[in-house]
Amino acid sequence: MKRSAARLPALLIGALFWAQPAAAQSILRDAETEAMFQDMSTGIVKAAGLDPRFVKVILINDDSINAFVVGGQVVYVHSGLIQAADNANEVQGVIAHELGHIADGHVISGEAAQKPALAMTILSMVLGLGAMAAGGGAAGAGIMAMGQQAAMGQYLAFNRTQEATADASAIRYLATAGLSGRGMLSFFKKLQRQELRYRGQIDPFMQSHPLSGERIANLTADVQASPAYNAKPDPALEDRFRRVKAKLEGFVMPPERTLQDYPETDRTIYGHYARAYAYHKGGYPDKADAEANALVAAKPGDPYFQEIQGQILLEAGRPRDALVPLRAATEGSRNNPLIATTFGHALIATEDKANVPEAIRVLRVATQRDDDNPWAWIQLGTAYEMTGDEARAALATAERASIVGDARTAVASAKYAMANIPANTPDWIRAQDIAMTSGDAAANQKRKRR
């Protein structure tokens, strides 16, 4: 995994929160993790005055301890934060903080705050260049450096105020949702211990967030005064968190690290789960299969255990054997689109044309419920090609290209679909929509290149 040297811990990099595009990092899609995020955050989202239908918590594959928002109603959580958290309540505290940024409109106001800082930077550059032109090279460089430092200090001071506001909002949301703020405090204490590693290297006035010790001091009284301070954690949610944390470690960490943390002597569900992913990633299909079988034997009706069992069989080149567990997982998860997409892929991978109609039915439902999954559109396009339906295969290609920002391919494929699908049908109308929106995007890209 990519690691950044001497990077300060989570929630200390706020100036980058709004500038850092999530698309530059890899998003991890997992049905069980996304369901957990939704369930653990719904009460907090409602407390923030937001609609849970429109708020998403998305997992980013990054080993740093971080979470951020960049616009809209999406909270991005790094995988490193999940690995660092000891319980679900700590993650809920982080989510509550980020929802504070969303509900309080900090992304928009943060962008506005950049303008005076930028103006100060430009002014210092003009004055500095003027001094250099007059023969004062050192003085000019000093003016520019001081101006840039002052501008950054002004912006970061504004940002620290927003962070303190988001902390206060988070406490209110947690209390309203009946959740303890203990996790929020304990997570800040983790960050404080990491800050101590950089003792003497951190200028408190040049940080985007207040230092964790300051935040703990400011928040402790309010957290302890909350009527929900002694609220008991939900045992079922804690179990789900431990499962997600185990499978995530197996997926993102080197197998040897996972086997250290979850040795074969660990016969718990969490141990089997972590090792199933670690062995699968490490290229040990028989061992991975054995761990998955142990999970299914322990909880035969669990769709997520059936999913990993089927995925291991599918990626080991045994798609026919994968159909039974993946069909059960799809049905047991009420057609979760991510699991259904894997099932549709397995149906196609059998190379049996008798399975293609079912694959199309499954994948159409999956793309209707989650139309932002390029892999699902690739599979649906492949299924259509196997039936000779080139027009709908082109429409699926247009959908995928539109998602990934390939405007030229989206336009060309959509136009082909329109020419070969009966006019004014739902598929034809969708192709027309893509042709128009992607055409505008392609034109904008062309203008920018000029």
Side-chain angles (χ1 to χ4, degrees), residues 207-219:
Q207 299 304 310
S208 59
H209 290 61
L211 295 181
S212 296
E214 179 183 341
R215 298 171 86 172
I216 293 168
N218 291 339
L219 297 175

Side-chain angles (χ1 to χ4, degrees), residues 128 145 163 209 282 290 370 394 427:
E163 293 304 321
H209 290 61
D370 180 6
D427 285 344

Side-chain angles (χ1 to χ4, degrees), residues 1 3 62-65 79-86 194 197 245-264 266 270-271 273-279 281-282 284:
M1 289 183 66
R3 295 179 181 270
D62 191 310
D63 64 348
S64 61
I65 307 172
S79 57
L81 188 147
I82 301 299
Q83 294 302 111
D86 289 329
Q194 293 203 27
R197 300 178 186 176
K245 185 172 180 177
K247 73 190 293 186
L248 180 61
E249 172 158 343
F251 183 78
V252 303
M253 291 293 181
E256 55 272 19
R257 163 67 183 275
T258 302
L259 293 176
Q260 288 177 2
D261 293 339
Y262 297 91
E264 293 193 352
D266 182 351
Y270 318 113
Y273 220 3
R275 291 193 299 273
Y277 278 90
Y279 284 137
K281 187 175 80 168
Y284 298 95

Side-chain angles (χ1 to χ4, degrees), residues 222-236:
D222 289 337
V223 169
Q224 292 177 343
S226 167
Y229 180 66
N230 291 315
K232 301 293 184 183
D234 180 354

Side-chain angles (χ1 to χ4, degrees), residues 10-11 37 59-60 62-68 76-87 90-95 98 187 190-191 241 245 248:
L11 310 179
F37 277 150
L59 186 64
I60 297 288
D62 191 310
D63 64 348
S64 61
I65 307 172
N66 210 350
F68 61 94
Y76 295 94
V77 176
H78 285 199
S79 57
L81 188 147
I82 301 299
Q83 294 302 111
D86 289 329
N87 53 60
E90 290 188 343
V91 179
Q92 287 174 315
V94 173
I95 292 173
E98 298 305 328
F187 201 79
K190 284 187 175 67
L191 302 185
F241 173 75
K245 185 172 180 177
L248 180 61

